[in-house]
Amino acid sequence: MVKWQTSTLESLCTLFGDGDWIESKDQSAEGVRLVQTGNVGEGVFKDRAEKARFVSQATFTRLRCTDVFGGDCLISRLPDPVGRACLIPDTGDRMITAVDCTIVRFDQSKVLPEFFVYYSQADSYLADVERETTGTTRKRISRARLGQISIPLASISEQRRIVAILDEAFESIATAKANAEKNLQSAREFFESFLDAALARHEGDCIEVTLGNEIELLAGYAFSSKGYTGAFNGVRLLRGDNIVQGYLRWDDAKYWPADDLVSYARFALQEGDVVLAMDRPWVKAGLKRAQIRAEDLPCLQLQRTARLRPKQRMQLDFLFHLVGSRSFSQYLLGVQTGLGVPHISGKQIEAFQFMLPSMSEQSAIASALHELKQQADRLEAVCEQKISALEELKKSLLQLAFTGQL
């Protein structure tokens, strides 16, 4: 193992300073581009041009802002993770940065910017930064403490060699990761397309109905937070936050006293019940809907959730797949109301129109979808394992590179 010298980060720079304090009132629709902490990825610049913010030339002059140039390094002093860094691309646009980003202009006779950006992704660097962070609700590091972080230094020629090796390796890893993510997305899209096609069939005994005619819908009860209890003697309350895409997540669960259930028996959920979030029902990951499993019980249904149970003409698993279809999500997106927190009502859910097959056809559709979902889940697990392995490979390469073993 080669032992390198170390120097403090600030001592390697010709410029080491924070960005500018820019308030909302200082921003404008065009002018000098404001780069923020959200643009600083782990080793990559996230352009996010559609969310770009600017300051006018007059504001730039009034606030005595500092220009950021292509090739400068920005380090975010906020999570996540604290200390992540990237190089600014040479876009031809004039740029400044926010106060929570530190501008780093390296003395390239001492360290190559690309060498440091790779080192900023290494576990050893991130651990050093973590030890210097402060704050309880939101971690941050001061510029002074950041400047004292030790950086291992090889010769410039050795730095160039390491950067060239990592460039090639990371490009190959990025390609493999992109292919794995593409396969994962293809599997999900294939399942969704199969689901939509299966539910769109109109031949045979299909009849056009509204969902309200085929289900019993119940909205949850407004349990008072004053009555909440601890997990040791309570029953979980199902909230909209617990409902995600296809399953329940019991993080930060709320509980109701187990000895006070008789009055609320109507709101006791059963295995197989289909539940929907009625506030912010659709997020980027998809519709917030799930099916109650045995391990989720016992639980009671809190307000702003909807419980769906099929009547005689509808099969339970078919109902679960139906509300997971793109047609149902698109319908809800079209009727939801509210700006800050979009929401849906029970009547809007019940008004959804669709073609209802015979019970035997519903069972066949649900069975086929179940088998396809299992196959898609297996492929998803393989893809996620591959993506995880590629991330571990990156960490291993960085560990080797910055301990002189590459």
Side-chain angles (χ1 to χ4, degrees):
M1 182 185 299
V2 178
K3 186 170 179 60
W4 293 342
Q5 294 182 342
T6 62
S7 294
T8 62
L9 176 58
E10 186 170 6
S11 70
L12 300 173
C13 306
T14 59
L15 172 64
F16 188 81
D18 286 341
D20 299 300
W21 186 273
I22 306 296
E23 299 183 69
S24 298
K25 63 181 179 62
D26 299 319
Q27 297 173 17
S28 60
E30 57 185 16
V32 181
R33 170 81 182 269
L34 173 63
V35 178
Q36 300 175 288
T37 57
N39 298 117
V40 181
E42 296 180 67
V44 295
F45 177 75
K46 298 181 177 181
D47 190 17
R48 297 179 176 176
E50 72 283 358
K51 297 182 179 180
R53 299 182 182 185
F54 303 86
V55 299
S56 67
Q57 179 58 50
T59 299
F60 178 95
T61 302
R62 175 172 59 84
L63 297 179
R64 298 180 180 179
C65 294
T66 301
D67 279 296
V68 176
F69 300 105
D72 283 347
C73 178
L74 292 187
I75 303 177
S76 173
R77 297 192 291 103
L78 297 179
D80 197 16
V82 178
R84 67 189 183 279
C86 73
L87 297 182
I88 295 295
D90 188 1
T91 63
D93 297 323
R94 197 173 182 190
M95 296 183 184
I96 61 172
T97 192
V99 70
D100 289 317
C101 289
T102 294
I103 307 167
V104 177
R105 196 167 296 154
F106 287 105
D107 179 347
Q108 296 193 35
S109 67
K110 298 177 180 179
V111 61
L112 300 179
E114 297 83 0
F115 181 82
F116 169 77
V117 169
Y118 275 126
Y119 182 62
S120 72
Q121 300 169 65
D123 287 343
S124 54
Y125 166 83
L126 293 171
D128 287 346
V129 170
E130 174 67 22
R131 282 191 289 271
E132 297 298 328
T133 59
T134 58
T136 53
T137 57
R138 195 179 193 195
K139 296 282 189 178
R140 66 171 62 231
I141 187 171
S142 68
R143 178 169 56 85
R145 290 188 178 187
L146 178 64
Q148 295 307 303
I149 297 295
S150 293
I151 308 299
L153 290 179
S155 66
I156 292 297
S157 61
E158 179 66 4
Q159 290 181 38
R160 287 198 185 95
R161 187 185 72 85
I162 290 171
V163 168
I165 293 173
L166 291 178
D167 279 347
E168 184 176 356
F170 274 46
E171 183 178 355
S172 298
I173 291 171
T175 300
K177 186 177 177 181
N179 289 335
E181 290 172 342
K182 183 178 179 180
N183 290 337
L184 179 58
Q185 184 61 30
S186 295
R188 291 170 177 165
E189 290 176 354
F190 179 73
F191 176 79
E192 291 176 354
S193 297
F194 187 94
L195 171 61
D196 287 341
L199 297 175
R201 293 172 60 184
H202 291 191
E203 65 269 18
D205 298 329
C206 289
I207 56 174
E208 187 172 8
V209 297
T210 60
L211 189 56
N213 287 334
E214 308 304 325
I215 64 167
E216 295 176 356
L217 185 148
L218 179 68
Y221 181 74
F223 290 89
S224 172
S225 59
K226 294 179 181 179
Y228 290 175
T229 187
F232 64 93
N233 68 342
V235 172
R236 287 180 294 198
L237 294 173
L238 179 73
R239 301 172 296 146
D241 288 345
N242 301 125
I243 305 173
V244 288
Q245 291 69 42
Y247 65 98
L248 299 182
R249 178 184 59 200
W250 290 110
D251 297 349
D252 192 28
K254 305 301 181 185
Y255 296 84
W256 193 256
D259 59 2
D260 187 25
L261 302 183
V262 175
S263 302
Y264 307 105
R266 183 183 178 208
F267 301 98
L269 291 160
Q270 300 175 8
E271 185 176 357
D273 282 343
V274 177
V275 290
L276 299 173
M278 299 176 74
D279 285 339
R280 210 183 300 277
W282 195 92
V283 293
K284 187 177 181 179
L287 182 69
K288 294 163 68 175
R289 69 82 159 87
Q291 194 166 21
I292 302 297
R293 306 162 298 176
E295 54 265 39
D296 297 318
L297 300 174
C299 66
L300 298 171
Q301 184 189 355
L302 194 63
Q303 66 179 342
R304 304 308 303 152
T305 64
R307 185 216 71 199
L308 283 58
R309 288 179 183 164
K311 294 180 182 177
Q312 293 182 347
R313 294 196 302 182
M314 182 177 284
Q315 199 244 16
L316 182 59
D317 289 339
F318 179 84
L319 171 61
F320 177 66
H321 289 302
L322 176 67
V323 299
S325 66
R326 277 186 289 206
S327 57
F328 185 68
S329 290
Q330 289 168 355
Y331 164 75
L332 290 185
L333 284 169
V335 299
Q336 67 180 6
T337 56
L339 297 176
V341 181
H343 54 269
I344 53 173
S345 67
K347 289 188 179 298
Q348 288 171 326
I349 295 171
E350 292 175 329
F352 174 65
Q353 293 182 317
F354 66 101
M355 300 301 294
L356 178 69
S358 66
M359 287 291 282
S360 60
E361 182 65 13
Q362 290 178 46
S363 295
I365 291 172
S367 178
L369 288 171
H370 177 72
E371 175 62 28
L372 185 61
K373 183 66 166 65
Q374 287 186 319
Q375 294 178 21
D377 286 346
R378 286 193 291 268
L379 178 58
E380 183 170 335
V382 170
C383 291
E384 288 178 344
Q385 288 173 3
K386 185 171 184 179
I387 291 169
S388 178
L390 290 168
E391 288 299 318
E392 287 301 317
L393 177 58
K394 287 174 64 174
K395 289 185 179 181
S396 297
L397 287 170
L398 291 169
Q399 171 68 15
L400 292 172
F402 295 106
T403 54
Q405 301 177 70
L406 195 60

